[in-house]
Amino acid sequence: MTILQRRPDALPIAPALCLAVLLIPAGRAQEPALTFEPPVEWIAVQVSSPMRVAQFVLPKSAGDAEDAELAVFYFGGAGGSVEANLERWTGQMLQPDGRRSADVATTTTFMAGDLAVTTLDVPGIYAAEVRPGSGMRYHKPEFRLKAAVVETPAGPYFFRLTGPAETVGAWDESFVSLLESVRFE
């Protein structure tokens, strides 16, 4: 198994080499880190923000206008509770029929080894802020947000997958497999 160190300043990882990703928070190379195994079809790209520790493009399904994106965040052990993040992510989606997104969201919890993983799945209109604090919001109908909080001894890691509903649905099993592969080593 190939283990790659993923740093914010690292170059993109070629998909064929992406058997496992080792996420080492900056300045903590001697400490345990989160590892996971992304599908080889996902395209690892350079992170677009210092808050992200890994980022992937998930190729679009036929008929969808754009690819989906998976971003992995780590805030040095901070970042809020599982519940606060689930609520925040749910609030990034609107429902076309006016219902509350909390009424259509589903959550599950499972163990990946000895790590608790809580997932969220919300369909609807993606309406997150374009940039935190910008006040500008996306308006992307027929989208889907899937997210997860992985609780580790060094604090939570956050996984957020967004994209056209069809594309996200096509990668659903792969996303679950990635989460089942997480280890803290």
Side-chain angles (χ1 to χ4, degrees), residues 17-94:
L17 298 176
C18 211
L19 300 176
V21 174
L22 173 62
L23 299 177
I24 301 174
R28 301 176 71 171
Q30 300 303 318
E31 296 182 26
L34 190 73
T35 64
F36 58 85
E37 298 177 15
V40 295
E41 299 90 355
W42 292 8
I43 303 162
V45 296
Q46 188 164 353
V47 296
S48 62
S49 161
M51 296 185 298
R52 297 177 179 206
V53 293
Q55 188 170 323
F56 297 87
V57 171
L58 287 62
K60 64 185 171 187
S61 294
D64 276 342
E66 61 186 279
D67 298 320
E69 176 189 75
L70 173 70
V72 183
F73 303 87
Y74 178 72
F75 302 106
S81 69
V82 171
E83 295 76 21
N85 281 281
L86 296 177
E87 186 176 311
R88 181 175 48 79
W89 287 324
T90 301
Q92 294 176 351
M93 300 297 287
L94 302 173

Side-chain angles (χ1 to χ4, degrees), residues 90-155:
T90 301
Q92 294 176 351
M93 300 297 287
L94 302 173
Q95 297 309 305
D97 61 5
R99 285 186 292 170
R100 295 175 343 117
S101 288
D103 295 338
V104 300
T106 57
T107 60
T108 58
T109 302
F110 63 90
M111 297 299 290
D114 59 351
L115 304 175
V117 179
T118 302
T119 65
L120 171 71
D121 189 352
V122 190
I125 301 166
Y126 185 57
E129 283 188 307
V130 173
R131 277 187 337 272
S134 72
M136 295 174 52
R137 296 192 171 274
Y138 291 105
H139 183 82
K140 296 187 176 206
E142 298 182 31
F143 255 51
R144 189 169 168 191
L145 182 149
K146 291 185 69 73
V149 180
V150 177
E151 299 176 69
T152 77

